[in-house]
Amino acid sequence: RLELQANSEEDRADMLATLSTRFATLVPNLSKGEVDLRALEQKSEGNPLYLNTVFEHLAHKRLELADLGSLPSGLDDLYAYLVERAEQQDPQVRPLLMVLTLARAPLSAALLADILDEPETRVRSRLSRLRPLVHPEDDIWELVHPALRYWMISAHDTDLIEVQRRIANTLAS
């Protein structure tokens, strides 16, 4: 098991080296100083999941290099920022994310469409735009990480009862 200590200089140096390597792979023509890796590492608060989430959003072109300076610190605030951006583009992403949050197992796009009472093509399109917050495997979708599920539950607890009702009604019919 790997444990990183946010206040360990050795672990921070390792994280900066990893950041540098990942950025060089992701953006080969990146010039030195174009991205403040130390500031990004500080925003991560030593959490590799924060950095991985940022890299995945860059790779899927959901974030641009210019967005990095405005990212919040901490994983919960990063999730809030990313979900808010997605909701600004499509207000219906929250119900979809809430269904995936409450699901005890990954769900097919067809079942998600039934639960949300929307055309399957629209749900598939929305799921595609939500990547990398959601992850498909053989057209079965789930949230990308349990940490996102926990954040969704704590941040949107007032929506849970209605979403649970929708899921139950769909599965009962």
Side-chain angles (χ1 to χ4, degrees):
R1 179 177 156 179
L2 175 67
E3 285 192 36
L4 296 174
Q5 304 296 321
N7 54 358
S8 163
E9 286 305 315
E10 184 178 340
D11 287 346
R12 292 182 89 149
D14 288 345
M15 192 173 287
L16 283 171
T18 300
L19 274 173
S20 182
T21 301
R22 294 267 322 253
F23 266 106
T25 303
L26 188 62
V27 189
N29 298 325
L30 187 69
S31 63
K32 282 204 179 284
E34 195 171 341
V35 174
D36 186 349
L37 296 180
R38 197 165 295 283
L40 188 58
E41 184 271 332
Q42 288 174 342
K43 288 179 181 192
S44 77
E45 298 175 346
N47 188 337
L49 183 54
Y50 179 104
L51 297 172
N52 192 54
T53 300
V54 170
F55 282 118
E56 289 299 315
H57 278 76
L58 288 167
H60 282 88
K61 301 196 182 321
R62 301 299 187 254
L63 287 175
E64 302 291 328
L65 291 177
D67 297 324
L68 298 180
S70 63
L71 293 178
S73 295
L75 186 60
D76 286 350
D77 289 338
L78 178 63
Y79 283 148
Y81 175 86
L82 295 171
V83 169
E84 182 179 319
R85 278 177 62 122
E87 287 177 326
Q88 287 172 354
Q89 294 175 348
D90 180 356
Q92 293 305 310
V93 299
R94 183 181 296 179
L96 176 55
L97 287 171
M98 290 304 298
V99 170
L100 289 171
T101 296
L102 292 174
R104 301 239 184 254
L107 300 175
S108 69
L111 181 54
L112 286 165
D114 286 345
I115 292 168
L116 296 167
D117 194 27
E118 291 190 32
E120 189 175 336
T121 55
R122 187 175 302 150
V123 171
R124 284 181 188 282
S125 174
R126 191 170 289 129
L127 285 163
S128 205
R129 286 191 314 272
L130 277 171
R131 290 190 71 192
L133 292 173
V134 298
H135 169 75
E137 187 154 328
D138 297 328
D139 199 38
I140 305 295
W141 295 82
E142 64 184 334
L143 296 179
V144 71
H145 197 275
L148 177 55
R149 172 174 283 109
Y150 302 138
W151 176 79
M152 288 290 298
I153 289 170
S154 67
H156 302 289
D157 61 344
T158 57
D159 299 332
L160 295 176
I161 294 172
E162 178 56 33
V163 174
Q164 285 174 323
R165 192 173 292 128
R166 276 182 127 163
I167 293 171
N169 288 341
T170 301
L171 296 177
S173 58

